[in-house]
Amino acid sequence: MSSNVLADQAPAFTERSVDLEDRDIRRARRQSQVIRLGSIAALIAVFAYFSAVAPGFANLGNIANVIEQSAVLALLAFGMSIVVLGGGGDVIRGGIDLSLGANLGLCVAVFAVASNAGFSDWLAVAITFGTGAAVGLLNAIAVVGLGVLPLLATLAVMNICAGAELVLTQNTVISTNSPLLGSIVGLSWLGLSVTDWVLVAATVVLIVLVQGTRWGLRLQAVGGQRQAARAAGLRVQAYLAGTYVAAGLLAALAAILQAARLSGSSPGSGDILLSVVLTSLMSTVFSRRLLPTIGGTLLSVLFIGSLINGFQLLNVSSYWVNGVQGVLILFVVAVRSLSTRRGGA
Amino acid sequence: MSFRKRLLAGLALTLGLGSLAVSAAQAQDAPSLKGKRIGITVAGTEHYWDLKAYQGQIDEVKRLGGIPIALDAGRNDSRQIAQIQTLIAQKPDAIVEQLGSAPVLQPWLKKIRAAGIPLFTVDTISPYSINDTTSDNYSIGEKLALQLASDIKGRGNILVFNGFYSVPVCAIRYDELKLVLRAFPDIHIIQPELRDVIPNTVQNAYSQVTDMLQKYPNKGDIAAIWSAWDVPQVGATQAVLAAHRTEVRTYGVDGSPDVVKMVADPASPASAVAAQQPYLIGKTAIDTVARYLAGDHDLPPYTFLPAILVNKQNAADAAKALGQS
């Protein structure tokens, strides 16, 4: 075969493959749009149903309650989404931070102990954020520095945090009271509590940071195409490490809200990991590219919060919520693996 | 009265099984709860006591024609607080709160009263509760401690599980133990005290006691193991059996059927358990609510239900009296 023939055939070949690729991309896009619109429709349907049937569901006070009850979970889920965004969506090898719940528990304990030791509120807050960031840094060292799988690295750090919490609290309730905690529980503005406003502010800041800044876009590149990002000269390791530290800081912020709600630290308060994983996974069905987003995460958290709230208002046993959460996980994971399989074929 | 005399008196009272049958709550039926919604919020239900008291409340609300809004927080304080918050928005006719950590709950119990909803409690001491239905935990703690002191002849080292001092009823039982031990200077609590945990209470108590039995390897090093409820007692008893150290006796509170059976077994190191009547406690709490909602606002702050100390001598009869056999 002469080189001439090859040269003649090449353009046709390329055109056909571009054509195929286009069709694949279009199909994938259509598919994800169906998933996204379907999920939003399901969300609206559930909200509409509860508003119509559950007494008091749509009251402003009740909605404020749901937001307040969701705040701690939402902040942790934001952390998880950022880690997944930077580390990639593969559940086994991608980014995941299993230490978030335990980090929350540890930070609540640290705040309570620091507060009771006579430190001022602001010093206690600083120590708490320091703790959260240190745990994030530990994750970063294990994942980025030592190259341990995030799933295993953060599992180990989860145990370290849980152990440290036990050492601090002796597994007992440590109650604390401070002006800061008092105002978090007591103050409100426009019908929303301080906790509500913290969540609103955190959401806005993170949406801008992740979806609107250079850091956020590069982070998405690191998570989506690590080789390409590295080739483009991005400091991939630094971005990855940053996600774990950011998640740690969010756990610390959540911890201060939690300490206000529980009037201190209570054993088992970090027992929230499954919901964090679920809501972060769920957030992907609200995005065009099936990636976790901050907005999607907030929607998922509010969705779960409304389900729990709506069930209680309808006097349906809270035991059903566990089952519903399980079904949701299965649904989301199924959608994701189906779309990846088709995309890969 | 000296503690020695109280010891004898306490042991004599122990066998008052007859008192179980009679209770003021059962003597007259409660008013109807027709059309009333009663919120029931409990810390958890994985323990026999919790579940029975919870069921006792739900059944009684239904029996009296009311609608129970029953909420089980699954031993998660944040969840219980969220449930209470939503419950306040639901404006039920009354709320009954059962167990949980007092310092965590108090601000939210205060909010219930601030919202104008009558609050009743089961086993939770709170200034915001109109009436607390509970066992007489002072007497439970004292009788159990006296039985322990008597069984080990007033001397020896004991292991104590004290993980839930934040739960008021556990604190009372522990304080009563310490009070009784003041009269027995030859009984020493091994320091540091052990911490019982939730969940995995049995496995955790088993491994802690196994470790302590290794640390104190000689017969007579440890005379007894005390816990404020009976789930750690199960783990402790199993650990003692597995280590062939059956001279170590175990003590606890609540009287779950499996523990009453252990006490009844002559070969088991489980020596005594103070058995409560959780189902009746739950039922009685609702009867009190019904009376309050029917206009009787002259209620005492506490309603005490009788408990019995089940020991090796009375276990078989006690199981029958408790309706467990």
Side-chain angles (χ1 to χ4, degrees):
Chain A
M1 205 180 278
S2 76
S3 57
N4 232 1
V5 179
L6 254 184
D8 285 347
Q9 282 179 345
F13 174 77
T14 320
E15 245 167 57
R16 205 166 46 238
S17 87
V18 166
D19 230 28
L20 271 175
E21 233 168 64
D22 263 4
R23 217 183 311 148
D24 273 354
I25 289 172
R26 256 182 276 130
R27 202 179 56 195
R29 225 179 250 164
R30 241 195 341 267
Q31 214 172 36
S32 79
Q33 193 144 19
V34 169
I35 293 169
R36 189 161 55 105
L37 293 179
S39 305
I40 292 172
L43 198 73
I44 293 172
V46 168
F47 279 115
Y49 175 76
F50 279 142
S51 304
V53 183
F57 179 79
N59 285 357
L60 193 65
N62 190 57
I63 292 168
N65 271 353
V66 172
I67 298 174
E68 193 178 315
Q69 290 160 10
S70 308
V72 168
L73 174 59
L75 292 175
L76 295 181
F78 288 163
M80 181 68 92
S81 291
I82 291 173
V83 168
V84 174
L85 209 53
D90 188 304
V91 176
I92 305 297
R93 278 162 299 145
I96 192 165
D97 186 354
L98 297 181
S99 71
L100 272 165
N103 192 357
L104 168 80
L106 173 63
C107 285
V108 177
V110 164
F111 183 86
V113 169
S115 231
N116 287 351
F119 292 119
S120 74
D121 265 340
W122 299 116
L123 196 53
V125 166
I127 295 172
T128 308
F129 274 101
T131 307
V135 172
L137 200 60
L138 195 58
N139 280 323
I141 291 170
V143 171
V144 180
L146 305 176
V148 184
L149 277 183
L151 193 74
L152 300 177
T154 57
L155 187 68
V157 173
M158 173 178 108
N159 273 315
I160 294 172
C161 292
E165 184 193 342
L166 285 177
V167 169
L168 267 183
T169 65
Q170 295 295 310
N171 205 32
T172 54
V173 172
I174 298 185
S175 49
T176 184
N177 232 324
S178 76
L180 175 70
L181 298 190
S183 34
I184 291 178
V185 176
L187 298 181
S188 70
W189 185 52
L190 299 180
L192 295 181
S193 66
V194 173
T195 302
D196 294 335
W197 284 112
V198 169
L199 179 59
V200 170
T203 307
V204 172
V205 168
L206 288 175
I207 285 179
V208 170
L209 191 68
V210 172
Q211 264 115 319
T213 64
R214 205 162 61 169
W215 183 82
L217 296 176
R218 288 182 170 176
L219 182 67
Q220 295 184 36
V222 169
Q225 296 289 342
R226 193 171 301 177
Q227 302 294 355
R230 192 172 285 136
L234 292 187
R235 291 171 59 211
V236 170
Q237 312 285 56
Y239 277 90
L240 276 181
T243 60
Y244 289 99
V245 176
L249 288 170
L250 283 165
L253 179 61
I256 290 160
L257 300 182
Q258 177 94 313
R261 244 174 120 64
L262 300 182
S263 316
S265 150
S266 156
S269 63
D271 187 14
I272 193 175
L273 181 65
L274 192 64
S275 301
V276 174
V277 174
L278 164 68
T279 43
S280 177
L281 270 177
M282 249 182 89
S283 78
T284 59
V285 301
F286 295 112
S287 100
R288 255 182 306 174
R289 289 181 296 143
L290 291 181
L291 287 174
T293 58
I294 301 298
T297 306
L298 184 69
L299 278 183
S300 313
V301 171
L302 292 179
F303 179 65
I304 298 288
S306 309
L307 266 186
I308 295 169
N309 177 265
F311 275 22
Q312 182 174 337
L313 294 177
L314 287 174
N315 207 1
V316 176
S317 163
S318 52
Y319 299 139
W320 282 99
V321 174
N322 289 333
V324 171
Q325 285 198 3
V327 170
L328 283 174
I329 293 185
L330 203 58
F331 168 76
V332 173
V333 175
V335 164
R336 277 168 53 116
S337 42
L338 273 179
S339 63
T340 347
R341 202 187 310 157
R342 291 222 185 106
Chain B
M1 203 195 292
S2 77
F3 270 102
R4 299 286 171 165
K5 278 184 189 157
R6 282 176 74 176
L7 167 69
L8 292 173
L11 289 178
L13 277 172
T14 300
L15 299 173
L17 294 180
S19 66
L20 276 182
V22 191
S23 115
Q26 285 172 315
Q28 59 187 75
D29 206 9
S32 162
L33 280 174
K34 202 164 173 51
K36 304 266 195 251
R37 294 183 310 142
I38 310 299
I40 300 168
T41 158
V42 303
T45 54
E46 74 283 4
H47 180 30
Y48 173 82
W49 192 101
D50 302 337
L51 187 61
K52 282 288 165 185
Y54 184 51
Q55 286 171 342
Q57 293 178 60
I58 296 172
D59 291 352
E60 185 68 354
V61 171
K62 287 184 182 157
R63 193 181 73 81
L64 296 177
I67 305 157
I69 305 172
L71 301 162
D72 171 5
R75 291 280 164 216
N76 184 321
D77 287 331
S78 309
R79 194 177 304 147
Q80 188 172 20
I81 285 169
Q83 288 175 343
I84 290 175
Q85 205 177 21
T86 308
L87 200 50
I88 292 172
Q90 289 175 271
K91 297 201 186 314
D93 293 282
I95 291 178
V96 186
E97 193 284 328
Q98 172 184 316
L99 274 171
S101 222
V104 175
L105 286 168
Q106 292 308 356
W108 302 91
L109 299 183
K110 187 179 174 186
K111 285 188 183 191
I112 293 176
R113 288 309 290 281
I117 302 168
L119 170 71
F120 298 81
T121 48
V122 170
D123 251 22
T124 300
I125 298 162
S126 166
Y128 310 109
S129 168
I130 293 168
N131 173 281
D132 179 29
T133 308
T134 180
S135 294
D136 176 356
N137 286 288
Y138 300 93
S139 134
I140 281 180
E142 184 195 338
K143 282 180 189 167
L144 189 71
L146 288 168
Q147 176 84 51
L148 184 156
S150 156
D151 286 349
I152 66 172
K153 312 280 188 294
R155 87 178 31 250
N157 300 318
I158 62 172
L159 286 173
V160 168
F161 279 98
N162 185 24
F164 291 99
Y165 198 80
S166 65
V167 178
V169 289
C170 295
I172 295 171
R173 293 167 200 162
Y174 175 84
D175 290 343
E176 286 293 329
L177 170 73
K178 296 278 271 196
L179 188 64
V180 168
L181 290 190
R182 283 211 320 236
F184 296 93
D186 294 331
I187 299 178
H188 301 286
I189 294 178
I190 295 172
Q191 297 295 337
E193 292 170 343
L194 306 179
R195 305 270 183 212
D196 35 339
V197 299
I198 295 176
N200 295 325
T201 312
V202 174
Q203 297 91 315
N204 182 280
Y206 182 97
S207 65
Q208 289 196 55
V209 169
T210 303
D211 291 348
M212 292 309 280
L213 291 173
Q214 269 168 9
K215 189 173 168 192
Y216 297 92
N218 303 314
K219 231 181 175 95
D221 284 349
I222 300 173
I225 302 170
W226 181 96
S227 50
W229 53 316
D230 61 6
V231 180
Q233 189 185 5
V234 172
T237 307
Q238 289 171 351
V240 165
L241 278 171
H244 304 291
R245 293 279 295 274
T246 44
E247 81 281 2
V248 180
R249 298 156 177 273
T250 68
Y251 298 82
V253 178
D254 283 341
S256 310
D258 49 334
V259 179
V260 172
K261 272 204 195 91
M262 278 182 184
V263 174
D265 175 1
S268 167
S271 293
V273 64
Q276 308 188 58
Q277 305 184 78
Y279 190 87
L280 189 60
I281 287 176
K283 176 186 180 300
T284 306
I286 296 302
D287 291 347
T288 308
V289 172
R291 268 196 287 282
Y292 181 88
L293 293 179
D296 179 2
H297 288 197
D298 188 26
L299 295 168
Y302 291 97
T303 306
F304 290 119
L305 273 283
I308 52 164
L309 187 65
V310 181
N311 56 24
K312 292 285 181 203
Q313 288 78 46
N314 71 359
D317 291 339
K320 262 185 231 136
L322 291 162
Q324 291 181 356
S325 58

